[in-house]
Amino acid sequence: METGSPGGAGTTAAGPVWIGLPPGLLRMRRLLLVVWLGSAAVGAGLLLGLLVGPAWAAFALLPLVGIGWGWVLLGRNWHSWRYAERADDLLISRGVLWREETVVPYGRMQLVEVTSGPVERHFGLASVQLHTAAAATDATIPGLDPAEAERLRDRLTQLGEARSAGL
């Protein structure tokens, strides 16, 4: 994956300069996976073991298998997310099996906001949400460093105001 330095917009001769998401998002999602499915495994094991019998407690291994499978899938999904700032629009690319690329023209942006829920704040992450005139081109970039999210918000707002002034 080609990555660029945050703060720089641009396109090289080979194409746009893609910026990947920071690893903190992957750590947060994997921790949530382990906490939720680990709790489900312990709860199912205790409940089945006490109510039905110890042999049935083996079904508690299913959430543990889900942890292993989810661990790999979360890594692949995290690697698929990237964004690129170009001269006239923002590209957001994501997806492993079904690749999706969203192009958000700067002149169509109506609102750019930075959000951060309690879990994201604990991990030092924030998301940038882009709202446009057409709901189909609304987009979100999750799991950014808060400083990068604010920089991106300010830059996109400035570019959006400059582009919409000509409409």
Side-chain angles (χ1 to χ4, degrees):
M1 174 186 346
E2 182 182 342
T3 59
S5 63
T11 304
T12 64
V17 177
W18 291 101
I19 302 170
L21 299 182
L25 178 65
L26 180 60
R27 282 193 299 272
M28 178 189 77
R29 288 181 174 174
R30 283 181 169 168
L31 179 65
L32 290 174
L33 173 77
V34 169
V35 166
W36 286 107
L37 288 182
S39 300
V42 169
L46 288 174
L47 193 63
L48 290 172
L50 292 174
L51 296 178
V52 184
W56 287 91
F59 281 105
L61 295 175
L62 290 176
L64 298 179
V65 171
I67 290 174
W69 186 55
W71 192 274
V72 173
L73 292 180
L74 285 173
R76 291 186 62 190
N77 179 270
W78 173 77
H79 275 291
S80 75
W81 276 88
R82 57 192 186 156
Y83 66 97
E85 299 173 57
R86 297 194 305 182
D88 295 322
D89 51 32
L90 178 74
L91 298 176
I92 302 171
S93 180
R94 65 196 168 280
V96 177
L97 292 177
W98 287 273
R99 199 93 176 116
E100 185 175 335
E101 191 166 288
T102 304
V103 179
V104 184
Y106 296 135
R108 301 288 306 237
M109 289 184 204
Q110 293 182 330
L111 174 67
V112 181
E113 60 183 345
V114 175
T115 61
S116 185
V119 176
E120 285 180 309
R121 277 194 309 275
H122 178 75
F123 283 90
L125 301 173
S127 297
V128 174
Q129 294 182 341
L130 310 162
H131 302 280
T132 63
T137 56
D138 283 0
T140 301
I141 303 173
L144 296 175
D145 178 66
E148 170 63 7
E150 290 175 12
R151 183 209 62 84
L152 189 59
R153 178 201 58 207
D154 294 344
R155 178 167 166 70
L156 295 176
T157 301
Q158 178 186 18
L159 289 168
E161 288 172 354
R163 297 298 191 284
S164 66
L167 293 179

